[in-house]
Amino acid sequence: MLERGQVANSWRRERWDSLRLLTPNWLTRLPGHRYYGADPDGFMTSAELVRFVSGFAEIIDVPVRTETTVTSVQPTDDGYHVFTTAGDLRCRCLVLASGACNLPSVPAFRSAVPHSLECLTPMDYRRPAQLPEGGVLVVGASATGIQLADEVHRSGRPVTLAVGEHVRLPRTYRGRDVLWWMETSGIWNERYDEIDDITRARGLPSPQLVGTPARSTLDLNVLSAAGVKLVGRWAAVRDDKALFSGGLRNHIALADLKMNRLLDTFDAWGRESNREDEVEAPHRFEPTRVPTSAQLDLDLTSGETRSIIWATGFRPDYSWLDVPVLDRKGALRHDGGVVEAPGLYAIGLPVLRRRKSSFILGAEDDAAYLIGHLAAYLDRRQGAAIG
Ligand SMILES: Cc1cc2nc3c(=O)[nH]c(=O)nc-3n(C[C@H](O)[C@H](O)[C@H](O)COP(=O)(O)OP(=O)(O)OC[C@H]3O[C@@H](n4cnc5c(N)ncnc54)[C@H](O)[C@@H]3O)c2cc1C
């Protein structure tokens, strides 16, 4: 295993200080490695997750070459040539486990933002004290955006949140964590080749969830009640003004509709599987309150806004992969983790083989399948060489 930093590097280097997992401890697992602590319904901090992953690395005892950055991978006649900052290697098979969130995804109009504003991505942001005093524009209302909007607002800075497409989820439903429903009802287990529009499923924003000891819901209603100002999706910059889309109402209506459909699915599953006695009675949540007159632009030079946090998503970095397996948009071409090049595999990408593949717990099943495929590939090659 080659790792440019230390084991669990992304959780050591690329997360903000207060971050806790949004998946509860009982769902945080790696193959044969589980949380056995006293708080199964709690949510690990990044530091706790680093210990959890490091403990796993010790148990499996696979040689990890840390502080070794892969700078290039090139195909050869019988596998791959891997160039690293600590020497070269050759291999017959290669598993890309370099992560789905290496780089922040920021809109191109970022370059038109006046230089007087401090701009951060979630990879640079650590705590509110890093920001200048004054207004903060948080762009994006998925898991990262709502968590950072909440934290920055609590620091006393006025926050405006630009809201595009988002996935609304309550923390708990009928007395159970919403991810209990996702896991137990089998929704998270849905296979990639059974999903109608897999490209869309893989591109969906992360759910509006936060892991806190209080297990509280953090959605747009909670944020706007606390004083966070909601505006539409940030669409462009013109004459030093941020222009927001007029589609906020539609985005909100769609997210509410989808959440209610999901709750209907949970209810139907509860009835059909006779699990009703494990949960409380069905109910529905208050619809998201739409601002009566959402602001459509914001003067970025007025001094009202002093900083911007781009919580607009992440993307993988394959700049070192010199194998022709990327599509026009730079995404890896693969079929459930089997990449379109002999002996090349990927793990740790959104909805790789199942919906749950986007999360830590998904690696368990994905690895089992891919290792089987990889071993069969090596056996076939071995057989061909002997024959
Ligand atoms: C802000 C945030 C919050 C998240 N919260 C949750 C959560 O609550 N629950 C959950 O289940 N999932 C969560 N996720 C998703 C989570 O990151 C993944 O489930 C998990 O970390 C994926 O592990 P991974 O090993 O595949 O990728 P990563 O953790 O990204 O690890 C990839 C590793 O590859 C190394 N690497 C990359 N490029 C190179 C190179 N060229 N050479 C050498 N090494 C390289 C990196 O240093 C890194 O250590 C979150 C993601 C983000 C961004």
Side-chain angles (χ1 to χ4, degrees):
M1 289 199 69
L2 305 178
E3 167 56 59
R4 63 182 168 189
Q6 295 294 313
V7 170
N9 196 51
S10 60
W11 294 92
R12 292 174 194 266
R13 300 270 175 87
E14 296 167 2
R15 308 286 186 257
W16 56 96
D17 294 352
S18 66
L19 178 72
R20 284 177 184 269
L21 292 192
L22 52 76
T23 35
N25 292 337
W26 67 271
L27 265 177
T28 300
R29 54 182 193 244
L30 289 165
H33 191 53
R34 286 179 168 36
Y35 173 87
Y36 294 108
D39 187 16
D41 293 326
F43 303 90
M44 285 184 208
T45 61
S46 299
E48 286 167 340
L49 185 69
V50 168
R51 284 198 286 280
F52 181 81
V53 177
S54 304
F56 179 67
E58 275 171 31
I59 293 167
I60 61 172
D61 199 22
V62 170
V64 185
R65 295 192 196 174
T66 54
E67 307 296 342
T68 303
T69 302
V70 175
T71 52
S72 174
V73 169
Q74 294 171 13
T76 61
D77 287 344
D78 62 349
Y80 297 93
H81 195 149
V82 180
F83 299 82
T84 85
T85 50
D88 300 357
L89 291 109
R90 282 175 180 274
C91 56
R92 295 203 174 89
C93 286
L94 185 73
V95 181
L96 308 172
S98 48
C101 304
N102 309 118
L103 299 169
S105 226
V106 180
F109 60 73
R110 167 197 202 170
S111 56
V113 169
H115 296 300
S116 54
L117 273 80
E118 174 94 21
C119 288
L120 292 178
T121 72
M123 291 186 143
D124 322 311
Y125 173 88
R126 291 292 171 272
R127 61 196 77 87
Q130 248 175 309
L131 303 170
E133 288 302 327
V136 183
L137 178 55
V138 177
V139 193
S142 295
T144 301
I146 56 149
Q147 292 180 29
L148 298 189
D150 182 48
E151 173 166 285
V152 171
H153 175 74
R154 283 170 192 273
S155 76
R157 291 166 177 79
V159 172
T160 302
L161 178 63
V163 181
E165 186 187 5
H166 57 277
V167 177
R168 181 183 178 196
L169 280 189
R171 180 71 265 179
T172 55
Y173 177 56
R174 300 178 67 181
R176 293 285 193 161
D177 194 282
V178 73
L179 300 183
W180 177 88
W181 289 95
M182 296 298 274
E183 161 90 345
T184 319
S185 68
I187 292 179
W188 255 5
N189 240 354
E190 198 180 350
R191 285 175 53 123
Y192 75 107
D193 47 5
E194 291 167 353
I195 294 174
D196 284 344
D197 187 346
I198 184 64
T199 309
R200 181 165 161 69
R202 287 180 173 153
L204 272 184
S206 58
Q208 287 178 336
L209 281 178
V210 62
T212 59
R215 297 173 78 202
S216 41
T217 292
L218 182 62
D219 59 14
L220 298 181
N221 279 348
V222 173
L223 288 171
S224 57
V228 170
K229 190 198 283 181
L230 307 182
V231 294
R233 184 171 179 275
W234 188 353
V237 178
R238 196 175 306 141
D239 302 331
D240 290 341
K241 278 187 178 163
L243 305 184
F244 304 117
S245 128
L248 178 60
R249 178 179 292 276
N250 289 347
H251 282 310
I252 284 178
L254 196 62
D256 281 6
L257 180 81
K258 287 187 174 173
M259 178 185 72
N260 285 327
R261 272 198 202 139
L262 184 66
L263 301 183
D264 290 344
T265 309
F266 292 162
D267 292 341
W269 169 81
R271 280 191 307 275
E272 285 155 19
S273 58
N274 286 325
R275 307 283 294 254
E276 292 280 284
D277 51 346
E278 291 178 44
V279 290
E280 295 166 5
H283 63 94
R284 288 295 171 265
F285 297 88
E286 185 198 353
T288 305
R289 291 184 298 277
V290 184
T292 38
S293 58
Q295 198 174 328
L296 289 177
D297 59 29
L298 180 68
D299 183 353
L300 297 170
T301 54
S302 70
E304 186 194 341
T305 304
R306 300 289 313 285
S307 53
I308 295 171
I309 302 179
W310 297 101
T312 34
F314 302 92
R315 60 191 169 89
D317 176 12
Y318 295 124
S319 55
W320 44 271
L321 186 61
D322 299 313
V323 186
V325 287
L326 302 182
D327 67 17
R328 277 185 300 115
K329 290 184 172 170
L332 194 67
R333 285 198 308 268
H334 68 91
D335 182 8
V338 180
V339 182
E340 282 183 19
L344 194 60
Y345 297 87
I347 193 162
L349 300 180
V351 201
L352 184 88
R353 299 197 56 79
R354 295 181 189 271
R355 287 199 186 271
K356 66 183 176 190
S357 302
S358 313
F359 299 88
I360 294 164
L361 82 155
E364 199 167 31
D365 285 356
D366 292 351
Y369 174 84
L370 291 173
I371 289 163
H373 194 289
L374 187 154
Y377 170 78
L378 285 177
D379 282 350
R380 275 200 311 279
R381 278 185 44 129
Q382 182 91 346
I386 293 167

